Amino acid sequence: MTTRYRVEYALKTHRRDQLIEWIKGLLAVPFVLYSQPQGVFEGQGIHSSPQTRDEAHRRYSEILRDVEIMVDDHIASQNDPENPFPSKLKLLVPSVGPFFTRLPLEAAFKFQDRKRYISSRRFVSPSFNDVRLILNSAQIMAVTTYGTLQLATFDGDVTLYDDGQSLEPTSPVIPRLIDLLRKNVKIGIVTAAGYTTADRYYERLHGLLDALANSAELTPSQKQSLIVMGGEANYLFEFSASSPHLLAPVPRARWLTPEMAAWDEHDIAQLLDVAESALRDCIKALNLPAVLMRKDRAVGIVPNPPDTRIPRESLEETVLVVQKILELSTAGRSRRVPFCAFNGGRDVFVDIGDKSWGVTVCQRWFAGNDGDNMIRGENTLHVGDQFLSAGANDFRARSVGTTAWIASPAETVELLDELAELMGKKMS
């Protein structure tokens, strides 16, 4: 599936982010009242008058300021263990989870309005993407204003590079990641790609790894501030200038959290056996041009022949069927081993663990694997493209840190530029 089509499908599917949809609905009211599309037919031209634009801008700003206040109230409620009552926001958006920082939504809207001219539109109301980008801006404003960004983690496909491609030396993402390292921000690449050897990750990340090895502006300590977490939370590699592929595997005993170390190998095998059986049934029932692939910490289906495109609906159906079967199985109901079933765009995999565990490992690793002094959620930013509530592996990272939902590597570049500007203002 192409990057553009994959993102469009993800953003249009029925399992949209409820908070984004709710804010979008609030913004639809002033759009209806103040957009005045009839002006186009009354000789006023295609652009809104300054008065109409300013009024729409004012009303949008007021709404987002009110939502900002609700988020503050929700944070106060979640941080009060003596309060048994849900916040107003929780009552209005039951699926809303915890927030690690305040969200300056009004300021973020004004920033995005200058870029996207949301208030000037007459026929297109504030969209899902508009609200998604406003939330992204609010989040990076928060991590740079109310605290200090210490750790940035990134998905691979569709985030750092196009789906199925590699991070080439010419990628505009690379100098921006180098700049983060230069500012002493730790970087973790938390990817679903479950390779067990460094050479496979070098194939995908060679542009960044070579730039890191050859950089004269980074100290050795800053170069060591890059790690790769593969298979969601199963294989850790650290940068190593002396290694043939510039990455060195880290034994699990050095980085597993106490909770992860308690996962029993028998339980893992049992869960993967159930997933494998469910995937076999999907191949047969849906007549999928795919073959099974079993690993020590994952099982999935990949297209056969490799250049075959499995219909996205079939991939989504497979994810949901396998996920439900696992949830209802004895291994799944025991909840002793977490798992993640997800649509990778061309394949479907079930991994042991998920990206919340992968990000947590990064938070502990850069604190000397000290759970008491690990990097906190409010000082962590995870950037990824899969944030739907089902079959989306980046979604789980919301439970351990702040997040930004992007739709392409180009959006990642824009986000990093915005982040660099905000960090530069703070340092000055």
Side-chain angles (χ1 to χ4, degrees):
M1 189 185 301
T2 64
T3 298
R4 176 177 177 273
Y5 200 47
R6 177 182 175 190
V7 169
E8 281 184 357
Y9 178 68
L11 297 182
K12 289 177 180 177
T13 187
H14 64 283
R15 297 188 311 277
R16 283 176 165 180
D17 187 292
Q18 290 187 14
L19 179 62
I20 293 179
E21 289 287 6
W22 179 67
I23 295 174
K24 176 188 166 188
L26 295 178
L27 296 176
V29 175
F31 173 79
V32 171
L33 295 176
Y34 296 103
S35 63
Q36 296 187 4
Q38 77 280 4
V40 173
F41 310 110
E42 294 173 355
Q44 298 177 21
I46 62 171
H47 301 295
S48 301
S49 67
Q51 295 84 357
T52 301
R53 182 180 63 248
D54 292 347
E55 183 61 19
H57 179 88
R58 182 183 70 82
R59 294 296 296 272
Y60 292 154
S61 297
E62 288 177 349
I63 288 171
L64 287 161
R65 187 187 317 137
D66 289 339
V67 176
E68 186 177 326
I69 293 170
M70 285 191 215
V71 171
D72 289 342
D73 171 69
H74 181 79
I75 292 173
S77 176
Q78 75 183 21
N79 293 339
D80 181 3
E82 302 299 323
N83 179 17
F85 305 107
S87 66
K88 182 178 182 180
L89 184 62
K90 186 72 173 179
L91 290 171
L92 293 168
V93 189
S95 65
V96 73
F99 290 88
F100 291 92
T101 65
R102 298 187 64 243
L103 288 181
L105 292 169
E106 182 182 11
F109 163 71
K110 291 178 178 178
F111 173 80
Q112 287 293 338
D113 200 25
R114 290 192 294 270
K115 292 178 62 177
R116 299 173 68 82
Y117 299 94
I118 300 168
S119 301
S120 298
R121 301 201 300 243
R122 292 190 176 193
F123 288 93
V124 178
S125 63
S127 68
F128 187 93
N129 276 339
D130 290 328
V131 180
R132 177 176 61 83
L133 293 172
I134 290 168
L135 286 170
N136 284 352
S137 292
Q139 191 60 85
I140 65 172
M141 287 178 180
V143 296
T144 55
T145 302
Y146 308 130
T148 301
L149 179 63
Q150 299 177 20
L151 169 65
T153 59
F154 297 87
D155 176 40
D157 289 89
V158 186
T159 301
L160 295 179
Y161 40 81
D162 287 330
D163 193 17
Q165 303 302 308
S166 302
L167 195 52
E168 300 294 340
T170 55
S171 170
V173 170
I174 292 174
R176 289 156 175 85
L177 295 179
I178 297 292
D179 183 59
L180 280 181
L181 292 169
R182 187 175 56 80
K183 292 172 179 172
N184 296 315
V185 176
K186 315 297 185 184
I187 292 180
I189 298 176
V190 183
T191 172
Y195 309 135
T196 59
T197 56
D199 59 313
R200 297 296 304 278
Y201 288 109
Y202 179 78
E203 289 176 13
R204 305 299 298 275
L205 303 169
H206 62 93
L208 174 61
L209 294 172
D210 288 340
L212 206 60
N214 298 325
S215 174
E217 59 179 324
L218 296 178
T219 66
S221 175
Q222 289 171 331
K223 292 181 180 182
Q224 289 298 127
S225 295
L226 173 77
I227 60 176
V228 178
M229 170 55 70
E232 311 278 0
N234 288 299
Y235 313 104
L236 183 65
F237 293 80
E238 60 181 339
F239 178 79
S240 173
S242 60
S243 297
H245 300 101
L246 303 178
L247 289 172
V250 182
R252 283 192 181 128
R254 287 182 55 196
W255 57 264
L256 285 178
T257 70
E259 298 87 354
M260 296 170 77
W263 297 348
D264 184 76
E265 291 297 327
H266 173 75
D267 292 334
I268 291 172
Q270 185 180 26
L271 190 143
L272 292 178
D273 287 344
V274 174
E276 180 176 337
S277 177
L279 288 166
R280 287 187 189 278
D281 289 343
C282 287
I283 291 175
K284 182 177 179 180
L286 299 174
N287 194 29
L288 299 178
V291 293
L292 273 163
M293 178 178 289
R294 179 78 178 251
K295 304 178 182 180
D296 68 325
R297 291 292 181 107
V299 62
I301 59 171
V302 296
N304 183 38
D307 58 350
T308 302
R309 289 287 183 178
I310 301 174
R312 69 181 188 278
E313 293 85 358
S314 297
L315 294 173
E316 289 287 294
E317 176 73 9
T318 301
V319 167
L320 295 173
V321 167
V322 173
Q323 180 171 300
K324 184 56 66 177
I325 289 175
L326 285 171
E327 289 172 351
L328 297 176
S329 70
T330 301
R333 290 199 311 273
S334 70
R335 298 183 180 274
R336 290 192 292 266
V337 177
F339 67 89
C340 178
F342 67 96
N343 171 6
R346 293 175 54 86
D347 50 31
V348 170
F349 267 88
V350 175
D351 283 330
I352 298 301
D354 56 55
K355 286 195 178 179
S356 69
W357 293 100
V359 174
T360 297
V361 169
C362 295
Q363 292 170 327
R364 289 172 56 94
W365 178 261
F366 289 119
N369 220 23
D370 182 355
D372 293 330
N373 295 301
M374 61 190 287
I375 296 174
R376 297 167 62 89
E378 58 265 34
N379 304 118
T380 302
L381 177 69
H382 178 71
V383 183
D385 69 296
Q386 291 204 24
F387 280 96
L388 300 176
S389 57
N393 52 7
D394 291 306
F395 180 84
R396 307 287 182 89
R398 285 181 170 176
S399 65
V400 295
T402 70
T403 58
W405 180 355
I406 56 82
S408 67
E411 275 195 11
T412 301
V413 169
E414 290 184 15
L415 184 86
L416 291 175
D417 284 344
E418 190 178 339
L419 180 62
E421 181 180 354
L422 290 166
M423 294 178 72
K425 287 180 179 178
K426 184 172 184 178
M427 288 188 293
S428 63

